[in-house]
Amino acid sequence: MKRFDSNDIRSGQLACSFFIITSFLILLFCLCYIRTYAMQIGTEEQIIQEVNTAENTAAPSELEGASVVIDEEATALSGPEVEEEIEETVYDVPSSFVNPESGNTVSYNGGKTIERSSKITYGDAGEINDLASPDSDGFMKLDDRYLIAVGSRFDTEPGQYIDLVLENGVVIECMMGDLKADVDTDSTNTFTYKSSCCSEFIIDEDSIREDIYKRGNASIKNSAWDSPVVSVVVYDDYYDL
């Protein structure tokens, strides 16, 4: 059997040391690799998470933008809002009528008579007159319209809006404040045959202008009113009681 001398022992120690150092380096390399790989995976997961977060954050803005586009397209398709048109009926006023008592044809000269508001105390007409107030000449007004009495031909109700169109082009904005009795009007229920008028302006007898009250003619309130009524426009629109 061969004996080991000191050289053999030193060689064995060197080999063992080399093996240990090599193993340690390999182990250290593996640890570094594992750590680097783990960090890379963590970084990738963080990037993916940030991307997902960014996408989720951007989504509402994109949806809001889409909503705005849809709303604009819907508006464009539907077009601008159009106010509902109020229906109106136009009645032509003749230049003459037949007096039911005498049978004679009477010319209409454009006169506009007056009626006292204090006499109108019944139903909706009474309520309309209670709500109205006189202007500076004593003419009763409500909603910036003059209260008038008209015949049943015009098929109006208290508070209904009416325009009197004069021959000279002037339009007097009015409101139905009373109904003329059929027994007081001609066969068409347009004119009061005793006064030859198709419209009676309702006045406040305490404040009516003296010259108008004495003559009983509303046409002298304003020079522009001194013209015959050629048509009556009745609107399907009412003052809310």
Side-chain angles (χ1 to χ4, degrees), residues 68-139:
V68 170
V69 172
I70 291 172
D71 290 342
E72 290 177 350
E73 290 178 351
T75 301
L77 290 173
S78 62
E81 292 185 5
V82 179
E83 292 185 3
E84 185 177 352
E85 187 174 349
I86 298 173
E87 292 185 9
E88 60 182 53
T89 304
V90 180
Y91 297 86
D92 291 330
V93 176
S95 58
S96 63
F97 64 94
V98 176
N99 186 309
E101 288 186 342
S102 65
N104 296 329
T105 299
V106 180
S107 296
Y108 167 54
N109 59 12
K112 306 169 189 67
T113 56
I114 58 176
E115 178 185 3
R116 289 174 293 175
S117 178
S118 59
K119 294 175 59 179
I120 308 169
T121 58
Y122 39 84
D124 290 342
E127 188 172 353
I128 287 291
N129 279 267
D130 286 341
L131 293 171
S133 56
D135 69 357
S136 58
D137 291 326
F139 284 67

Side-chain angles (χ1 to χ4, degrees), residues 44-61:
E44 290 177 352
E45 290 179 348
Q46 183 177 2
I47 292 173
I48 292 172
Q49 185 176 2
E50 290 176 353
V51 170
N52 290 336
T53 302
E55 290 177 350
N56 292 334
T57 303
S61 299

Side-chain angles (χ1 to χ4, degrees), residues 29 37 42 70 79 91-92 104-105 109 113 122 125 127 142 153 157 159 167 179 200 213 215-217 219 240:
F29 175 80
Y37 181 75
I70 291 172
Y91 297 86
D92 291 330
N104 296 329
T105 299
N109 59 12
T113 56
Y122 39 84
E127 188 172 353
L142 181 61
R153 175 197 173 193
E157 298 178 9
E167 189 176 59
L179 179 66
E200 295 179 2
Y213 189 68
R215 294 178 59 179
N217 185 5
S219 293
D240 291 330

Side-chain angles (χ1 to χ4, degrees), residues 200-229:
E200 295 179 2
F201 281 79
I202 300 173
I203 56 96
D204 172 38
E205 60 185 321
D206 294 328
S207 60
I208 186 66
R209 213 170 74 194
E210 186 175 358
D211 59 333
I212 296 174
Y213 189 68
K214 284 182 177 180
R215 294 178 59 179
N217 185 5
S219 293
I220 64 175
K221 171 180 171 60
N222 189 318
S223 59
W225 285 21
D226 191 15
S227 179
V229 177

Side-chain angles (χ1 to χ4, degrees), residues 4 18 26-27 43 68 98 131 157 168 177 193 204 213 216:
F4 291 95
F18 179 79
I26 292 173
L27 179 61
T43 303
V68 170
V98 176
L131 293 171
E157 298 178 9
N168 61 5
Y193 65 86
D204 172 38
Y213 189 68

